[in-house]
């Protein structure tokens, strides 16, 4: 165990690197998130944000570096393995089974059965699904609708609802607001704040809207060309500073 790991750290990445052929997507990335903390991850298109999240969720193996989960070194073998540890991820399209109805997606891998017989407790799952969605305030007409027929924003809302009810220890959200209307986006941000208030979960949020990042996150990390170049508490930065950092680099590359 690394000597400077804090007791309330949920995840820590040390010296992570990842390449895709000639592209160096991540180089020597260090990052950590504590319980009750929301970390905002920002950066230009192609900076490596999704690649980092996909390593933390067990989808990609890093080429180098180490991961620690709750203070212990860990090698994430798969998304299922990460999920079994309490790592939940919200991607727009990755996490849902389009052929299944809303309520079964909400219970994916956690179906309720009538023990000792393997019959699904459909009525109870539908009731719980309705309750979970109503609690968020997202408008999904029917929990028996097939997920494939919903809008991108509705699918994401379901993914967030599922994470919230999963007792996740680490929640990773890769642009959960991108496909949402203003009202739904606001609901998700409020939901994240409620989760944070619970105090036992660490959250990493990727978003391109720096106003939302500064509002909802405790700390901001900026990824530039696969490296974290900035790490500050939100209260010590501003939308203007974040825009300037990203745009200064843009001017450098395009003048
Ligand atoms: N599966 C892959 N195969 C090859 N190259 C990839 C793959 N995934 C990502 N890359 C490359 O790695 C780099 C980082 O991509 P990544 O998706 O992590 O960026 P991002 O910061 O999430 O960008 P965006 O804001 O557009 O979502 C890019 O150059 C991208 O082309
Ligand atoms: Mg991305």
């Amino acid at each position: 165990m690394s000597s400077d790991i804090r007791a309330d750290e949920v995840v820590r990445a040390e010296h992570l690197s990842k390449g895709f052929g000639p592209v160096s997507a991540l180089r020597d990335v260090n990052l950590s998130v504590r319980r009750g903390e929301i970390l905002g991850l920002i950066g230009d298109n192609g900076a490596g944000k999704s690649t980092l999240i996909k390593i933390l969720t067990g989808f990609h193996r890093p080429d180098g570096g180490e991961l620690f989960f709750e203070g212990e070194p860990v090698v994430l073998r798969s998304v299922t393995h990460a999920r079994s540890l309490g790592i939940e991820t919200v991607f727009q399209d990755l996490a849902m089974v389009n052929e299944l109805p809303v309520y079964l997606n909400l219970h994916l891998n956690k179906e309720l059965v009538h023990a000792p017989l393997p019959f699904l407790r459909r009525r109870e799952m539908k009731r719980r699904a309705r309750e979970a969605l109503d609690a968020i305030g997202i408008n999904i007409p029917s929990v028996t609708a097939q997920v494939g027929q919903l809008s991108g924003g509705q699918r994401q809302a379901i993914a967030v609802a599922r994470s919230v009810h999963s007792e996740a220890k680490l929640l990773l959200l890769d642009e959960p607001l991108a496909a949402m209307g203003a009202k739904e986006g606001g609901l998700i941000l409020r939901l994240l704040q409620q989760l944070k208030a619970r105090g036992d979960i660490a959250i990493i949020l990727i978003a391109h809207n720096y106003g939302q990042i500064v509002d909802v996150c405790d700390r901001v990390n900026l990824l530039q060309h696969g490296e974290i170049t900035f790490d500050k508490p939100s209260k010590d930065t501003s939308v203007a500073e974040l825009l300037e950092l990203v745009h200064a680099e843009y001017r450098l590359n395009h003048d």
Side-chain angles (χ1 to χ4, degrees), residues 103-104 111-114 117-123 125:
Y103 76 95
L104 283 180
E111 293 87 353
L112 303 174
V113 294
H114 287 289
L117 298 173
F119 295 132
L120 294 179
R121 293 172 58 197
R122 290 181 189 275
R123 189 181 301 169
M125 284 196 283

Side-chain angles (χ1 to χ4, degrees), residues 179-193:
M180 297 226 169
K183 176 172 154 272
E184 287 78 9
L187 289 168
I188 295 299
L189 290 176
R190 268 212 301 288
L191 190 71
L192 291 182
Q193 274 157 337

Side-chain angles (χ1 to χ4, degrees), residues 45-46 48-51 54 91 174-175 206 208:
N45 297 121
K49 303 179 298 296
S50 294
T51 303
K54 285 176 182 169
F91 285 106
D174 193 349
E175 301 197 39
I206 297 179
H208 284 285

